[in-house]
Amino acid sequence: MTNDTMIRPDRSGPQPDRAPIRPGPLGRLAAVAFRRRGRVVLAWVAGLALATTLSAAFAGDFAADYAAPGSDSAQAQALLVDRFPSQSGDTVDVVVRAEAGVADATVRATVVGLLGTLADQPHVAAVEDPYAAPGAISADGRTLLSHIRLDVTNPVDMPIADTERLIETAAEAEQPGLEVALGGQSIQLAEQGEIGSEGIGLAAAAIILLLTFGSVVAAGLPLVVAVTGLAVSGALIGLLAAVVDVPDWSTSLAAMMGIGIGIDYVLLMVTRFREWRAAGLDTESATVATLDTAGRSVLVAGSTVVVSMLGLFAMGLSFMRGAALATIVGVLVVMVAAVTLFPALLGYFGRWIDRLRLPLGRRRPVQIAAGGHVVPSRGWVRWSRLVDRHSVIAAVAGVAVLLALAAPFLGVRFGFPDAGNDADGKSTRQAYDLVSAGFGAGANGPLVLVADVTGSDPDSLDALTDDLAATDGVSAVTPVQLNPAGDTALLTVVPSTGPQDQATEDLVRTLRDDVVPTATEDAGVTVHVGGVTATAIDSTANIAQRLPLLIGGVVALSMLLLLVSFRSIAIPVTAAFMNLLSVAAAYGVVALVLEGGWAGQLIGIDTATPMPAFIPVLMFAVLFGL
């Protein structure tokens, strides 16, 4: 006797009916793929080569607009891009801290030389002279803040290599008693780097599959299908980016979804295939039966994921639509691979599905019950019977646990993490801390006021400047800057509180609802409050407002799909209730981690961090679909 699983059909139950039965559409497709497996595999290889070639030739650049459509901050940015392009580009903060003081001759020479070198780097449009700009030197004279204006509007458009060159140049200027740090969104993106999440996911899945099946062949088939689907969909997403705006992080979302559902779907079918083989069917018949049964579950499950991702269109945000389309492409490719490539691979490896077993100890013989299903282990049988006997207690306990996990979400703080949440060793975090210490926390999130002064006297903004300076929560106001045409003015307002502070959000609303309208009532000018901080506030409010629409739409469509598939009311209602509970629990766990306590420290989050409003949106679409 070996350690291999022995297949012993239970002859006491009804035996499989060997009379020929006409398979359904998926079964017939499986038969064709099985018999012509060589052509199917070659077709997938050719498809991958074609998709890769087309992507290399015609792939578009990733782009995303995170501004809330029609918001005040979006109008401010549009006015800058149209009339004041020199002020519309992304910026990099250069922060210098000198123990001898930044006015020291040696320090000044070093700073001027550094800024001159930075000005010669690619994509640098202009560098501010901090020794001439008002408010660029801290009150104690030891900290200096300069701004580099880039020729790209969106930080994601800045090449990582060029950003890294800026970081290296700043690091080379450091010396004892002189600290230099760079801040800004493009710097933050460069320091994030690639974490290889897809490779980690595949490695973890491989270990789990090996432990589950105990066979290299059985565990390898889901991985092959998932990797193939991931490769093809990755190339297609590049082509998709040439047509619509697709955020760069959507590739990771689509990849992880493709890996997850690809392995999940094929895992289901491998299990069913082994059951049909254990029931006595030959390899081809077992393949056809597998697609006729488990294959239909795959199509229903995949369709539910697609419906959930389509719910992101209800948000009315371009970057959400792009992420949804990228994920849908990945899901559809994996679904096609599951019903075509998988049966073709079974044609090659199906007869050896239990070969290359791992030496994991003795395994009980597999017994087949009536209907061709494997008899479950005694442990699972005892557990299911225990839950069945105490169903009310089990239901109440399960709901209580999920609600307890969901509780931290009640205190969640929505917003966008900034450099203050970065790791201590990052240049952006160092720049944030230096600016906070030298100029106050609000200097890390200035508000940009853009005024359309067409046909008006720019001097009419003097009253606005005075009122802004006298407003509670305002630390400083820069002088008015006019564009060359003289029809657009720009003011920078520095709050006294940080970008994530509730007081800063209250200040933005006060400026928009009270200060600006009152000061410009008789001036004939239109003023918009924008900037990175105001954009984050508007985007958060916009997404939070649309979240109930997403949840309602996805739940309704998913319940309708399940109702049509199973012709039962109980199944979609139960599924919706359980999914809503589990999603709420997932929200609570994420909120607990973001609090920065013991849970957050497990993954390196040691400060209270706000939750971007689009995270619950994506989580809901992904988790509800799965």
Side-chain angles (χ1 to χ4, degrees):
M1 180 179 298
T2 66
N3 290 334
D4 291 350
T5 301
M6 294 184 298
I7 298 176
R8 294 179 180 174
D10 184 2
R11 301 301 181 184
S12 62
Q15 298 302 304
D17 186 359
R18 302 304 176 90
I21 300 176
R22 180 173 174 79
L26 286 177
R28 294 195 294 272
L29 176 62
V32 173
F34 185 93
R35 294 169 186 170
R36 301 179 180 177
R37 45 190 174 271
R39 297 181 183 180
V40 173
V41 172
L42 287 177
W44 273 95
V45 173
L48 174 59
L50 177 62
T52 303
T53 302
L54 291 176
S55 180
F58 304 107
D61 295 326
F62 292 107
D65 180 10
Y66 295 102
S71 65
D72 199 38
S73 58
Q75 295 179 61
Q77 181 63 21
L79 195 59
L80 281 178
V81 172
D82 183 42
R83 299 186 184 179
F84 218 152
S86 63
Q87 297 294 326
S88 64
D90 186 37
T91 59
V92 172
D93 299 330
V94 182
V95 189
V96 178
R97 171 75 175 179
E99 293 298 329
V102 294
D104 179 81
T106 302
V107 172
R108 180 164 184 163
T110 301
V111 171
V112 171
L114 168 63
L115 296 179
T117 303
L118 293 173
D120 294 332
Q121 301 301 316
H123 296 286
V124 174
V127 176
E128 178 186 66
D129 182 2
Y131 293 101
I137 298 177
S138 64
D140 63 3
R142 294 184 177 183
T143 306
L144 172 149
L145 175 61
S146 177
H147 301 288
I148 298 175
R149 186 72 61 179
L150 303 178
D151 61 6
V152 295
T153 302
N154 198 320
V156 299
D157 296 331
M158 180 67 176
I160 297 296
D162 293 333
T163 305
E164 291 176 342
R165 191 174 295 113
L166 294 177
I167 298 174
E168 293 171 0
T169 301
E172 292 171 356
E174 288 192 317
Q175 51 188 265
L178 182 66
E179 186 176 358
V180 182
L182 300 185
Q185 290 180 297
S186 58
I187 303 296
Q188 199 168 30
L189 290 175
E191 290 189 321
Q192 287 174 355
E194 298 292 334
I195 60 176
S197 56
E198 295 84 352
I200 296 174
L202 283 173
I207 295 174
I208 294 173
L209 289 171
L210 282 173
L211 294 177
T212 301
F213 287 125
S215 163
V216 174
V217 176
L221 289 177
L223 291 174
V224 171
V225 174
V227 170
T228 303
L230 176 63
V232 175
S233 61
L236 294 178
I237 291 174
L239 295 175
L240 179 67
V243 182
V244 298
D245 288 344
V246 177
D248 57 342
W249 49 263
S250 64
T251 56
S252 296
L253 174 64
M256 296 309 296
M257 283 287 288
I259 292 172
I261 65 177
I263 292 174
D264 184 31
Y265 295 167
V266 181
L267 172 64
L268 170 65
M269 292 196 290
V270 167
T271 302
R272 194 65 180 130
F273 175 80
R274 298 173 81 192
E275 292 180 354
W276 285 120
R277 287 284 289 155
L281 296 183
D282 60 64
T283 305
E284 181 177 349
S285 299
T287 301
V288 173
T290 296
L291 266 292
D292 244 354
T293 52
R296 285 182 290 178
S297 299
V298 167
L299 292 186
V300 172
S303 299
T304 307
V305 175
V306 171
V307 168
S308 295
M309 299 310 298
L310 286 174
L312 294 179
F313 281 74
M315 302 302 294
L317 301 172
S318 61
F319 74 93
M320 284 289 185
R321 289 193 295 268
L325 287 173
T327 305
I328 288 173
V329 168
V331 172
L332 292 177
V333 170
V334 168
M335 288 173 62
V336 174
V339 298
T340 59
L341 180 60
F342 175 68
L345 293 176
L346 286 180
Y348 289 108
F349 305 105
R351 69 185 67 183
W352 298 301
I353 194 70
D354 288 313
R355 295 290 181 87
L356 300 177
R357 301 200 61 84
L358 298 180
L360 297 177
R362 296 175 61 87
R363 293 175 177 267
R364 69 179 184 86
V366 174
Q367 293 184 336
I368 306 302
H373 289 280
V374 172
V375 176
S377 66
R378 294 178 182 178
W380 287 116
V381 171
R382 286 195 296 267
W383 173 256
S384 62
R385 288 174 179 172
L386 176 65
V387 172
D388 185 53
R389 286 195 304 269
H390 307 283
S391 57
V392 175
I393 297 176
V396 172
V399 171
V401 170
L402 290 174
L403 290 178
L405 291 174
F409 187 68
L410 297 176
V412 72
R413 180 167 58 96
F414 287 114
F416 283 85
D418 55 33
N421 302 116
D422 290 347
D424 290 336
K426 301 292 186 180
S427 176
T428 49
R429 175 63 181 272
Q430 296 170 3
Y432 184 95
D433 292 341
L434 289 174
V435 169
S436 296
F439 302 93
N444 284 296
L447 306 176
V448 178
L449 275 62
V450 186
D452 183 356
V453 294
T454 304
S456 302
D457 184 2
D459 292 337
S460 60
L461 294 175
D462 292 341
L464 174 61
T465 302
D466 295 337
D467 289 353
L468 290 172
T471 302
D472 291 338
V474 173
S475 175
V477 181
T478 63
V480 175
Q481 292 180 264
L482 288 175
N483 67 337
D487 57 3
T488 304
L490 182 147
L491 301 89
T492 300
V493 174
V494 179
S496 56
T497 51
Q500 297 179 16
D501 200 300
Q502 180 62 42
T504 302
E505 182 176 346
D506 295 338
L507 174 62
V508 171
R509 304 194 188 285
T510 298
L511 296 182
R512 289 172 173 171
D513 299 338
D514 184 20
V515 177
V516 170
T518 301
T520 60
E521 183 177 5
D522 300 323
V525 299
T526 302
V527 181
H528 303 287
V529 180
V532 174
T533 301
T535 299
I537 293 172
D538 291 341
S539 180
T540 298
N542 181 61
I543 295 175
Q545 182 181 6
R546 297 168 186 256
L547 185 57
L549 180 63
L550 167 73
I551 294 176
V554 170
V555 171
L557 289 176
S558 299
M559 290 180 65
L560 179 61
L561 176 62
L562 293 175
L563 179 64
V564 172
S565 301
F566 294 100
R567 296 179 177 85
S568 166
I569 296 179
I571 290 177
V573 171
T574 303
F577 177 73
M578 291 179 61
N579 282 341
L580 287 174
L581 271 178
S582 62
V583 170
Y587 283 174
V589 172
V590 173
L592 179 63
V593 169
L594 291 177
E595 289 178 0
W598 64 268
Q601 291 174 4
L602 294 176
I603 60 173
I605 298 178
D606 54 3
T607 59
T609 304
M611 179 186 292
F614 66 84
I615 294 298
V617 173
L618 292 175
M619 286 180 62
F620 181 83
V622 171
L623 295 177
F624 198 90
L626 292 177

PDB file of all heavy atoms in Angstrom, residues 574-592:
ATOM      1  N   THR A 574     -30.379  35.067   0.114  1.00  0.00           N
ATOM      2  CA  THR A 574     -29.378  34.584   1.066  1.00  0.00           C
ATOM      3  C   THR A 574     -27.982  35.033   0.660  1.00  0.00           C
ATOM      4  O   THR A 574     -27.184  35.473   1.496  1.00  0.00           O
ATOM      5  CB  THR A 574     -29.422  33.048   1.155  1.00  0.00           C
ATOM      6  OG1 THR A 574     -30.728  32.633   1.512  1.00  0.00           O
ATOM      7  CG2 THR A 574     -28.422  32.540   2.175  1.00  0.00           C
ATOM      8  N   ALA A 575     -27.681  34.933  -0.642  1.00  0.00           N
ATOM      9  CA  ALA A 575     -26.363  35.336  -1.129  1.00  0.00           C
ATOM     10  C   ALA A 575     -26.122  36.825  -0.888  1.00  0.00           C
ATOM     11  O   ALA A 575     -25.039  37.235  -0.458  1.00  0.00           O
ATOM     12  CB  ALA A 575     -26.226  35.009  -2.607  1.00  0.00           C
ATOM     13  N   ALA A 576     -27.130  37.645  -1.154  1.00  0.00           N
ATOM     14  CA  ALA A 576     -26.975  39.091  -0.959  1.00  0.00           C
ATOM     15  C   ALA A 576     -26.738  39.419   0.513  1.00  0.00           C
ATOM     16  O   ALA A 576     -25.858  40.219   0.858  1.00  0.00           O
ATOM     17  CB  ALA A 576     -28.202  39.823  -1.478  1.00  0.00           C
ATOM     18  N   PHE A 577     -27.513  38.785   1.392  1.00  0.00           N
ATOM     19  CA  PHE A 577     -27.372  39.044   2.827  1.00  0.00           C
ATOM     20  C   PHE A 577     -25.991  38.629   3.331  1.00  0.00           C
ATOM     21  O   PHE A 577     -25.312  39.385   4.042  1.00  0.00           O
ATOM     22  CB  PHE A 577     -28.464  38.291   3.597  1.00  0.00           C
ATOM     23  CG  PHE A 577     -28.362  38.439   5.093  1.00  0.00           C
ATOM     24  CD1 PHE A 577     -28.691  39.632   5.713  1.00  0.00           C
ATOM     25  CD2 PHE A 577     -27.928  37.377   5.876  1.00  0.00           C
ATOM     26  CE1 PHE A 577     -28.588  39.766   7.097  1.00  0.00           C
ATOM     27  CE2 PHE A 577     -27.823  37.503   7.250  1.00  0.00           C
ATOM     28  CZ  PHE A 577     -28.148  38.701   7.862  1.00  0.00           C
ATOM     29  N   MET A 578     -25.558  37.438   2.957  1.00  0.00           N
ATOM     30  CA  MET A 578     -24.255  36.953   3.410  1.00  0.00           C
ATOM     31  C   MET A 578     -23.119  37.795   2.847  1.00  0.00           C
ATOM     32  O   MET A 578     -22.146  38.111   3.546  1.00  0.00           O
ATOM     33  CB  MET A 578     -24.077  35.488   3.008  1.00  0.00           C
ATOM     34  CG  MET A 578     -24.986  34.525   3.746  1.00  0.00           C
ATOM     35  SD  MET A 578     -24.753  32.819   3.210  1.00  0.00           S
ATOM     36  CE  MET A 578     -23.033  32.562   3.630  1.00  0.00           C
ATOM     37  N   ASN A 579     -23.239  38.182   1.586  1.00  0.00           N
ATOM     38  CA  ASN A 579     -22.172  38.973   0.978  1.00  0.00           C
ATOM     39  C   ASN A 579     -22.078  40.360   1.598  1.00  0.00           C
ATOM     40  O   ASN A 579     -20.990  40.886   1.813  1.00  0.00           O
ATOM     41  CB  ASN A 579     -22.389  39.081  -0.530  1.00  0.00           C
ATOM     42  CG  ASN A 579     -21.973  37.818  -1.260  1.00  0.00           C
ATOM     43  OD1 ASN A 579     -21.222  37.011  -0.734  1.00  0.00           O
ATOM     44  ND2 ASN A 579     -22.462  37.640  -2.460  1.00  0.00           N
ATOM     45  N   LEU A 580     -23.236  40.975   1.862  1.00  0.00           N
ATOM     46  CA  LEU A 580     -23.215  42.296   2.481  1.00  0.00           C
ATOM     47  C   LEU A 580     -22.568  42.226   3.868  1.00  0.00           C
ATOM     48  O   LEU A 580     -21.798  43.118   4.261  1.00  0.00           O
ATOM     49  CB  LEU A 580     -24.637  42.851   2.581  1.00  0.00           C
ATOM     50  CG  LEU A 580     -25.261  43.313   1.261  1.00  0.00           C
ATOM     51  CD1 LEU A 580     -26.720  43.693   1.467  1.00  0.00           C
ATOM     52  CD2 LEU A 580     -24.492  44.482   0.668  1.00  0.00           C
ATOM     53  N   LEU A 581     -22.870  41.169   4.623  1.00  0.00           N
ATOM     54  CA  LEU A 581     -22.255  41.004   5.932  1.00  0.00           C
ATOM     55  C   LEU A 581     -20.743  40.807   5.824  1.00  0.00           C
ATOM     56  O   LEU A 581     -19.967  41.415   6.569  1.00  0.00           O
ATOM     57  CB  LEU A 581     -22.881  39.806   6.656  1.00  0.00           C
ATOM     58  CG  LEU A 581     -24.116  40.058   7.512  1.00  0.00           C
ATOM     59  CD1 LEU A 581     -24.622  38.754   8.115  1.00  0.00           C
ATOM     60  CD2 LEU A 581     -23.834  41.072   8.618  1.00  0.00           C
ATOM     61  N   SER A 582     -20.330  39.964   4.892  1.00  0.00           N
ATOM     62  CA  SER A 582     -18.897  39.680   4.762  1.00  0.00           C
ATOM     63  C   SER A 582     -18.139  40.898   4.252  1.00  0.00           C
ATOM     64  O   SER A 582     -17.016  41.168   4.685  1.00  0.00           O
ATOM     65  CB  SER A 582     -18.680  38.475   3.836  1.00  0.00           C
ATOM     66  OG  SER A 582     -19.167  38.744   2.544  1.00  0.00           O
ATOM     67  N   VAL A 583     -18.738  41.650   3.338  1.00  0.00           N
ATOM     68  CA  VAL A 583     -18.088  42.870   2.852  1.00  0.00           C
ATOM     69  C   VAL A 583     -17.965  43.892   3.983  1.00  0.00           C
ATOM     70  O   VAL A 583     -16.930  44.552   4.140  1.00  0.00           O
ATOM     71  CB  VAL A 583     -18.867  43.462   1.662  1.00  0.00           C
ATOM     72  CG1 VAL A 583     -18.340  44.846   1.308  1.00  0.00           C
ATOM     73  CG2 VAL A 583     -18.764  42.556   0.451  1.00  0.00           C
ATOM     74  N   ALA A 584     -19.027  44.014   4.784  1.00  0.00           N
ATOM     75  CA  ALA A 584     -18.962  44.939   5.929  1.00  0.00           C
ATOM     76  C   ALA A 584     -17.854  44.525   6.891  1.00  0.00           C
ATOM     77  O   ALA A 584     -17.130  45.373   7.431  1.00  0.00           O
ATOM     78  CB  ALA A 584     -20.313  44.970   6.642  1.00  0.00           C
ATOM     79  N   ALA A 585     -17.705  43.219   7.116  1.00  0.00           N
ATOM     80  CA  ALA A 585     -16.632  42.745   7.991  1.00  0.00           C
ATOM     81  C   ALA A 585     -15.266  43.075   7.408  1.00  0.00           C
ATOM     82  O   ALA A 585     -14.344  43.471   8.133  1.00  0.00           O
ATOM     83  CB  ALA A 585     -16.774  41.239   8.208  1.00  0.00           C
ATOM     84  N   ALA A 586     -15.125  42.920   6.086  1.00  0.00           N
ATOM     85  CA  ALA A 586     -13.852  43.270   5.436  1.00  0.00           C
ATOM     86  C   ALA A 586     -13.569  44.765   5.583  1.00  0.00           C
ATOM     87  O   ALA A 586     -12.426  45.168   5.840  1.00  0.00           O
ATOM     88  CB  ALA A 586     -13.894  42.872   3.961  1.00  0.00           C
ATOM     89  N   TYR A 587     -14.598  45.596   5.429  1.00  0.00           N
ATOM     90  CA  TYR A 587     -14.429  47.034   5.654  1.00  0.00           C
ATOM     91  C   TYR A 587     -13.901  47.302   7.069  1.00  0.00           C
ATOM     92  O   TYR A 587     -13.002  48.129   7.274  1.00  0.00           O
ATOM     93  CB  TYR A 587     -15.771  47.761   5.492  1.00  0.00           C
ATOM     94  CG  TYR A 587     -16.223  47.962   4.066  1.00  0.00           C
ATOM     95  CD1 TYR A 587     -17.487  48.492   3.783  1.00  0.00           C
ATOM     96  CD2 TYR A 587     -15.418  47.627   2.982  1.00  0.00           C
ATOM     97  CE1 TYR A 587     -17.916  48.704   2.495  1.00  0.00           C
ATOM     98  CE2 TYR A 587     -15.844  47.827   1.688  1.00  0.00           C
ATOM     99  CZ  TYR A 587     -17.094  48.368   1.442  1.00  0.00           C
ATOM    100  OH  TYR A 587     -17.523  48.570   0.157  1.00  0.00           O
ATOM    101  N   GLY A 588     -14.500  46.614   8.054  1.00  0.00           N
ATOM    102  CA  GLY A 588     -14.099  46.831   9.427  1.00  0.00           C
ATOM    103  C   GLY A 588     -12.660  46.446   9.698  1.00  0.00           C
ATOM    104  O   GLY A 588     -11.939  47.144  10.423  1.00  0.00           O
ATOM    105  N   VAL A 589     -12.219  45.345   9.098  1.00  0.00           N
ATOM    106  CA  VAL A 589     -10.832  44.905   9.290  1.00  0.00           C
ATOM    107  C   VAL A 589      -9.870  45.925   8.699  1.00  0.00           C
ATOM    108  O   VAL A 589      -8.845  46.276   9.308  1.00  0.00           O
ATOM    109  CB  VAL A 589     -10.619  43.515   8.661  1.00  0.00           C
ATOM    110  CG1 VAL A 589      -9.146  43.142   8.679  1.00  0.00           C
ATOM    111  CG2 VAL A 589     -11.428  42.462   9.414  1.00  0.00           C
ATOM    112  N   VAL A 590     -10.183  46.430   7.503  1.00  0.00           N
ATOM    113  CA  VAL A 590      -9.323  47.439   6.875  1.00  0.00           C
ATOM    114  C   VAL A 590      -9.287  48.709   7.721  1.00  0.00           C
ATOM    115  O   VAL A 590      -8.230  49.316   7.930  1.00  0.00           O
ATOM    116  CB  VAL A 590      -9.812  47.745   5.445  1.00  0.00           C
ATOM    117  CG1 VAL A 590      -9.027  48.917   4.856  1.00  0.00           C
ATOM    118  CG2 VAL A 590      -9.675  46.523   4.554  1.00  0.00           C
ATOM    119  N   ALA A 591     -10.457  49.115   8.232  1.00  0.00           N
ATOM    120  CA  ALA A 591     -10.502  50.308   9.078  1.00  0.00           C
ATOM    121  C   ALA A 591      -9.674  50.121  10.343  1.00  0.00           C
ATOM    122  O   ALA A 591      -8.988  51.045  10.800  1.00  0.00           O
ATOM    123  CB  ALA A 591     -11.950  50.636   9.438  1.00  0.00           C
ATOM    124  N   LEU A 592      -9.715  48.921  10.916  1.00  0.00           N
ATOM    125  CA  LEU A 592      -8.923  48.633  12.115  1.00  0.00           C
ATOM    126  C   LEU A 592      -7.435  48.734  11.815  1.00  0.00           C
ATOM    127  O   LEU A 592      -6.667  49.297  12.606  1.00  0.00           O
ATOM    128  CB  LEU A 592      -9.271  47.231  12.626  1.00  0.00           C
ATOM    129  CG  LEU A 592      -8.505  46.755  13.879  1.00  0.00           C
ATOM    130  CD1 LEU A 592      -8.836  47.648  15.074  1.00  0.00           C
ATOM    131  CD2 LEU A 592      -8.836  45.302  14.188  1.00  0.00           C
TER     132      LEU A 592
END
